[in-house]
Amino acid sequence: MHVEVLRRFGGLAPRTLVGGQFTPGQGDQTQFAVAVATFGLFDADDEPTCPSASWKEPFTAGLPSEFARAVASALDEGPGLPAGTLTIDRAGFDLANSPEMIFGQAAVVLKAAMAAEPSGQDADTAARALVSTR
């Protein structure tokens, strides 16, 4: 599952793509794993791209360490997941329009969408409800 977040603040349009998978497990703990790109934010000009559903320009594929910290920190927020592992294994960013805070917001939305499914709720509805309150 992945989420693409585009916010509009006047002339600014911060955006990102964050995705992953949840694997149910035994016990009562939820673990988080965040895969980090091997390049830095400022060496990403020649890296592969992935399409954007909400913007005319594609994303640079990957999650630089500068943004991975925001994702990892944000996973403690929002609704809980059952026991298992949530792995963030895909991402996309815009060199000019992806501030750190948008990655944290996207991670919380992704987690909410993933938490909705085991309880029988619609993932899109849960994600949209969370976005409309932030």
Side-chain angles (χ1 to χ4, degrees):
M1 177 182 295
H2 71 272
V3 297
E4 181 174 338
V5 175
L6 169 65
R7 306 295 301 252
R8 296 200 186 268
F9 301 107
L12 302 175
R15 68 192 191 104
T16 187
L17 175 79
V18 175
Q21 60 185 357
F22 178 73
T23 306
Q26 301 294 322
D28 60 355
Q29 290 189 331
T30 302
Q31 297 180 343
F32 304 111
V34 180
V36 178
T38 57
F39 56 87
L41 176 61
F42 300 107
D43 351 336
D45 283 332
D46 295 329
E47 293 298 322
T49 61
C50 57
S52 170
S54 60
W55 195 256
K56 59 189 174 286
E57 298 295 325
F59 289 107
T60 299
L63 181 61
S65 60
E66 294 90 344
F67 298 137
R69 285 184 285 278
V71 169
S73 295
L75 291 174
D76 286 333
E77 297 178 35
L81 288 165
T85 303
L86 171 56
T87 303
I88 304 297
D89 59 4
R90 62 206 115 178
F93 66 97
D94 182 317
L95 284 170
N97 291 311
S98 288
E100 189 174 332
M101 65 86 178
I102 198 75
F103 278 87
Q105 290 177 355
V108 172
V109 171
L110 178 65
K111 184 179 168 192
M114 288 184 170
E117 287 190 335
S119 63
Q121 298 176 345
D122 180 62
D124 284 337
T125 302
R128 289 179 195 282
L130 184 61
V131 168
S132 68
T133 62
R134 290 192 170 234

